[in-house]
């Protein structure tokens, strides 16, 4: 049985990306526009709250707009993750369902995906707090939690265990693939950051921060979010399929009910 292959994982990622731009790409774009629009509106309100009580550094956190933005962001993110990964799993099987299927899948998986994301974030944060290395181990160990949850229909905690089993023996290679993905995402972000800096009169990230809450910030937020979500979720899907192939000799087992 073949082991985990770095090149095949990246090749599959670009293959399913290309096959699903017209479906998953549109789905992700629509949700990114909604998310960026709400974020732009809330950011304006938060700036007003901070200006009105400049002496209180916690003024932003006391604003209901902050908590509303946080909640809505998590909710949209959960729907986006569920729908996007469902679509990428379908594309990997050579299928392409209508856009409505992605919304149904995203909404249907939203609660367990949200729970998994919260637990994943807490665990990874604690891991990185313990001298970084444990965090890297957990990132690799739990790399396929979301595709497992969506593709195999298990519970949240079962998905962590299944991810741990699937990634065993391949975690260093998985980390290498994820590092390559970070570079792929980082380059366009830095390029766009330079453009935002030129428009905002500041260099790089500073210019992007100045543009936040403005029409320019809205456009960049949509672009960044779209690129990042498409690359990240297609890559996680590909890693999941590669670990199944390496461990079980098949990519397709247990994927029949993705849209059910």
């Amino acid at each position: 049985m073949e082991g985990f292959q770095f090149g095949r994982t990246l090749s599959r990622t670009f293959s399913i990306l290309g096959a699903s731009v017209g479906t998953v790409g549109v789905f992700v774009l629509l949700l990114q526009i909604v998310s960026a629009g709400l974020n732009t509106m809330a950011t304006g309100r938060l700036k007003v709250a901070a200006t009105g009580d400049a002496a209180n550094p916690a003024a932003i956190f006391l604003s209901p707009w902050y908590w509303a933005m946080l909640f809505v962001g998590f909710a949209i993110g959960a729907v986006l993750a569920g729908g996007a990964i469902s679509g990428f799993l379908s594309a990997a099987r050579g299928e392409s369902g209508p856009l409505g299927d992605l919304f149904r899948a995203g909404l249907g998986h939203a609660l367990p995906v949200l729970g998994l994301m919260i637990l994943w974030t807490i665990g990874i944060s604690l891991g990185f707090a313990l001298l970084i290395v444990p965090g890297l181990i957990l990132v690799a160990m739990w790399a396929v939690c979301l595709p497992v949850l969506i593709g195999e229909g298990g519970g949240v905690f079962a998905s962590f265990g299944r991810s741990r089993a699937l990634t065993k023996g391949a975690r260093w290679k998985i980390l290498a693939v994820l590092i390559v993905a970070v570079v792929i995402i980082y380059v366009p972000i830095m390029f766009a950051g330079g453009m935002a800096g030129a428009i905002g009169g500041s260099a790089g990230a500073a210019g992007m921060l100045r543009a936040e809450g403005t029409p320019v910030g809205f456009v960049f937020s949509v672009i960044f979010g779209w690129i990042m979500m498409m690359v990240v979720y297609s890559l996680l899907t590909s890693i999941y399929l590669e670990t199944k192939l390496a461990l079980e000799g098949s990519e397709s087992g247990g994927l029949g009910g993705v849209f059910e």
Side-chain angles (χ1 to χ4, degrees):
M1 191 178 296
E2 297 182 52
F4 186 98
Q5 293 191 18
F6 181 98
R8 185 168 59 196
T9 302
L10 290 179
S11 176
R12 184 191 296 106
T13 299
F14 289 112
S15 176
I16 63 178
L17 265 175
S20 52
V21 168
T23 52
V24 180
V26 173
F27 169 77
V28 172
L29 180 61
L30 291 174
L31 287 181
Q32 281 299 133
I33 290 173
V34 172
S35 179
L38 293 173
N39 183 67
T40 298
M41 180 175 66
T43 298
R45 298 284 184 173
L46 290 175
K47 286 180 177 179
V48 170
T51 303
D53 193 3
N56 183 4
I60 288 179
F61 302 105
L62 298 176
S63 170
W65 283 97
Y66 173 82
W67 298 104
M69 185 173 66
L70 194 64
F71 173 79
V72 171
F74 270 112
I76 293 176
V79 173
L80 191 154
I85 292 177
S86 295
F88 286 133
L89 287 170
S90 183
R93 300 197 307 272
E95 302 171 1
S96 179
L99 192 61
D101 282 352
L102 300 181
F103 281 99
R104 281 189 288 272
L107 291 169
H109 289 102
L111 286 179
V113 167
L114 181 60
L116 188 147
M117 284 178 159
I118 291 172
L119 292 176
W120 188 94
T121 301
I122 292 172
I124 298 297
S125 299
L126 290 174
F128 277 109
L130 298 174
L131 301 178
I132 298 178
V133 173
L136 293 174
I137 294 172
L138 289 177
V139 166
M141 184 185 298
W142 294 343
V144 298
C145 283
L146 276 173
V148 165
L149 179 67
I150 294 161
E152 300 184 12
V156 171
F157 292 104
S159 297
F160 282 103
R162 173 71 167 153
S163 180
R164 178 181 179 181
L166 284 173
T167 58
K168 187 175 182 180
R171 289 170 191 157
W172 288 113
K173 292 181 180 179
I174 290 172
L175 272 179
V177 172
L178 292 174
I179 289 171
V180 169
V182 169
V183 173
I184 291 173
I185 296 170
Y186 183 74
V187 169
I189 285 179
M190 288 305 296
F191 171 75
M195 293 178 62
I199 294 172
S202 302
M208 293 171 66
L209 289 174
R210 288 189 60 179
E212 188 175 1
T214 68
V216 171
F218 170 81
V219 172
F220 282 124
S221 179
V222 171
I223 294 171
F224 298 160
W226 189 84
I227 293 172
M228 184 166 62
M229 294 299 100
M230 291 293 287
V231 172
V232 167
Y233 289 134
S234 63
L235 181 66
L236 293 182
T237 301
S238 183
I239 292 173
Y240 165 62
L241 295 174
E242 184 65 21
T243 58
K244 283 179 64 66
L245 184 61
L247 187 68
E248 302 170 352
S250 172
E251 296 182 358
S252 60
L255 299 182
V258 169
F259 288 116
E260 297 177 0

